[in-house]
Amino acid sequence: MKMRKIGSLLIILCVWLSGVAVAATEEPVKIVINQQYVTCDIPPRIQNGRTLVPLRPVFEALGCDVYWQGESLPIIIVKNDTKLLLWTDNVMLYQYTGTDIERFQQQILNGYGNNIIQYQLDVPPQLVADRTMVPVRTLCEVLGMTVSWDEANQTVWLTCDESILQQPNQDTQFAIQAYEFFQGVDNL
């Protein structure tokens, strides 16, 4: 009788340990942009069924400029006429189309306008190991990328016309002017 209990405990222990081994060897999530793997200093992760990726390496690989000056100010991603604004721990994403900073400021102060589109993210951007992690699908689709998920290989595939990646960002002043604006406005 005692041997059966020991045998049962050993079987349970082996099953449990094999589960731990499988979890420990689970493949990390990979990111591929037009057949090129993106290297990140911290790995992407899945949270609530959404893939969060390190903001800067992924979006700079997409040819965007990325600006962030602290948690109280927005993260601004700029790719020519398209600007994305989001905050850590906030599920709202704002897309502004245009280069006119004064129009942008007026639309922000007056409750948005036809140049600003709001999206609600399933998972908010968040800080992990001093890196901003963002949900990749919505942000990339807003920028015009095609996003697909390969479950078997744990890979996010981002595709777009190669000219989009090679076209340098021309609007280098928008984020600077937007930060000056946000620093001067209380309670948006």
Side-chain angles (χ1 to χ4, degrees), residues 59 77 84 86 93 121 134-143:
F59 287 86
I77 302 168
L84 304 181
L86 55 160
L93 164 67
L121 303 168
V134 296
V136 68
R137 179 175 294 278
T138 303
L139 275 69
C140 286
E141 287 178 345
V142 168
L143 288 171

Side-chain angles (χ1 to χ4, degrees), residues 57-108:
V58 173
F59 287 86
E60 286 180 350
L62 292 169
C64 300
D65 290 335
V66 176
Y67 304 88
W68 190 57
Q69 294 186 353
E71 290 183 55
S72 64
L73 292 171
I75 300 159
I76 301 176
I77 302 168
V78 178
K79 182 63 175 180
N80 295 319
D81 283 353
T82 302
K83 283 75 173 176
L84 304 181
L85 290 90
L86 55 160
W87 284 257
T88 56
D89 300 319
N90 187 321
V91 294
M92 296 309 297
L93 164 67
Y94 301 91
Q95 174 191 3
Y96 175 71
T97 303
T99 57
D100 186 340
I101 190 68
E102 290 176 10
R103 174 180 275 176
F104 168 77
Q105 293 168 347
Q106 290 171 351
Q107 289 184 5
I108 290 289

Side-chain angles (χ1 to χ4, degrees), residues 103-131:
R103 174 180 275 176
F104 168 77
Q105 293 168 347
Q106 290 171 351
Q107 289 184 5
I108 290 289
L109 292 174
N110 296 323
Y112 310 112
N114 59 358
N115 291 63
I116 298 178
I117 301 171
Q118 298 178 49
Y119 301 88
Q120 186 165 342
L121 303 168
D122 295 327
V123 177
Q126 50 202 260
L127 292 176
V128 176
D130 291 326
R131 298 291 181 265

